[in-house]
Amino acid sequence: MAVIYDLNRPNPLNVPCAPDACKPPLVQILTSDEFSQLDSISQEARTELAALELSEANFVELYPAFVIGSFSVPDKADPTGDPETLSFYLEADHLIFIDDGTIAQNTLNKVAATGILTKPTTSHALYAFMKTLIADDFTWFSAMEDAMEALEDAMITRQADISSQTIMSYRRAAMRMGSYYQQIGVMADLIADNENKVMSREEARTFGHIVSHANHLADRASMLREYSLQLYELHQTQIDLKQNSTMQILTIVTVMFAPLTLVTGWFGMNLAVLPGLDWPYMAFTIIGLAAIMIVVMVIFFKKKKWL
């Protein structure tokens, strides 16, 4: 069911107004079916918005009398999963969010709670909406960075067995969020240009704050993506060291048993006459020499700190 907010009232986003009591400027939340039935919207706008519903991108397009666009908002609990999508239609007296989910309503509830909607205009309502979408993301990045630092400590101290998939999930999340902020910044920049003069110059200029904020978030995402690559390299280095240690142990064991292998080869030859074979102390002598060689090699390996 359509939700309508009258921007003329105090704290307009706190409580929806009754359809017969609302006066422009208005903020509305409609489903795609409800929006398609509006006769007051031009056919061109309905066609373009229908096409945007199929895309998963943050996009804006300016027309002579209105602005349309779409949002593709990643779920911060799983940034690499499917994003939440919605689109919007903006003109002087109407801001309509076309949303078959809950992202528009949840975001407007946050706008109402923070009180950043200070002007009764649709352009300022869109500004407050976009600002709220990315308002708390620095905190989210800080939590992500803390988790990556804990992962690094666990790898260095070898307190846990970390998989490559865990590390790469952080990289994919940083890449997805970085792309999202870049697109938001481009959207806000285009709106700030105000080529179609849908909003006042002062209102258009406020979107520059979103551009700056989105660019800072994109830089933070890029930094964490580089950090994730460093973690991956550290992880690969530890795997290589572990493999080298295993090969070292195998080499040492092979060398230590080389004398016994020599004795086995010597006495295993199928010869009728073998020098020293008839000497009664030959077996004890060979075993003693092999034991002495093994002890000497153990002492040598310990001095080299290979054992």
Side-chain angles (χ1 to χ4, degrees):
M1 183 178 177
V3 179
I4 308 175
Y5 297 97
D6 185 345
L7 296 181
N8 296 296
R9 301 184 305 171
N11 302 319
L13 299 181
N14 284 344
V15 180
C17 63
D20 56 349
C22 296
K23 296 180 180 180
L26 303 174
V27 174
Q28 298 174 262
I29 303 176
L30 306 177
T31 65
S32 53
D33 290 337
E34 290 170 339
F35 180 79
S36 64
Q37 297 172 10
L38 291 180
D39 296 331
S40 58
I41 306 300
S42 68
Q43 182 60 42
E44 180 183 25
R46 287 202 297 268
T47 303
E48 293 298 327
L49 283 167
L52 287 178
E53 290 176 10
L54 302 177
S55 65
E56 291 186 357
N58 297 278
F59 175 82
V60 68
E61 186 71 33
L62 279 64
Y63 290 86
F66 58 88
V67 178
I68 65 170
S70 62
F71 294 103
S72 179
V73 184
D75 181 4
K76 294 183 181 65
D78 181 19
T80 59
D82 294 333
E84 297 182 271
T85 59
L86 72 152
S87 51
F88 70 89
Y89 171 89
L90 170 70
E91 60 181 16
D93 291 332
H94 292 85
L95 171 59
I96 303 175
F97 293 104
I98 302 95
D99 184 14
D100 293 324
T102 61
I103 182 67
Q105 185 64 70
N106 292 340
T107 305
L108 289 179
N109 289 342
K110 292 179 181 178
V111 172
T114 56
I116 63 174
L117 183 62
T118 57
K119 297 179 181 180
T121 65
T122 55
S123 300
H124 188 66
L126 179 61
Y127 162 78
F129 184 89
M130 294 181 66
K131 183 177 180 179
T132 301
L133 279 180
I134 59 176
D136 300 327
D137 289 9
F138 273 117
T139 302
W140 181 81
F141 272 129
S142 296
M144 180 178 176
E145 186 174 5
D146 290 342
M148 294 173 71
E149 290 176 351
L151 197 68
E152 182 180 23
D153 291 339
M155 285 193 292
I156 293 175
T157 59
R158 298 187 179 182
Q159 295 177 351
D161 186 14
I162 309 300
S163 66
S164 299
Q165 289 79 3
T166 300
I167 300 173
M168 296 311 293
S169 66
Y170 287 106
R171 179 174 180 268
R172 288 191 292 270
M175 290 179 61
R176 175 69 67 86
M177 296 303 292
S179 176
Y180 167 63
Y181 297 125
Q182 288 174 353
Q183 293 175 11
I184 290 291
V186 171
M187 286 181 67
D189 195 25
L190 289 173
I191 297 174
D193 288 341
N194 196 25
E195 293 181 359
N196 57 2
K197 303 296 186 292
V198 169
M199 61 189 75
S200 68
R201 181 180 301 178
E202 181 183 356
E203 288 178 326
R205 191 163 48 243
T206 59
F207 284 87
H209 299 302
I210 297 177
V211 176
S212 178
H213 193 181
N215 288 340
H216 286 310
L217 286 168
D219 291 340
R220 186 70 180 275
S222 178
M223 183 192 70
L224 290 182
R225 184 173 66 87
E226 293 298 327
Y227 186 21
S228 68
L229 290 176
Q230 294 175 10
L231 290 181
Y232 182 76
E233 291 174 357
L234 174 61
H235 183 253
Q236 291 300 115
T237 300
Q238 288 188 328
I239 291 177
D240 293 340
L241 290 174
K242 187 176 181 180
Q243 291 176 343
N244 291 340
S245 177
T246 302
M247 293 301 299
Q248 184 180 22
I249 293 174
L250 291 176
T251 301
I252 292 172
V253 171
T254 301
V255 172
M256 290 178 62
F257 282 92
L260 298 179
T261 303
L262 177 63
V263 171
T264 302
W266 179 260
F267 287 99
M269 292 186 294
N270 190 18
L271 297 176
V273 178
L274 191 64
L277 190 63
D278 55 348
W279 186 40
Y281 302 105
M282 176 59 70
F284 297 104
T285 302
I286 295 298
I287 293 173
L289 288 174
I292 292 172
M293 292 178 66
I294 292 174
V295 171
V296 170
M297 283 187 288
V298 169
I299 295 173
F300 175 76
F301 289 148
K302 283 187 175 182
K303 287 185 177 181
K304 291 291 185 178
K305 296 183 179 179
W306 294 350
L307 288 177

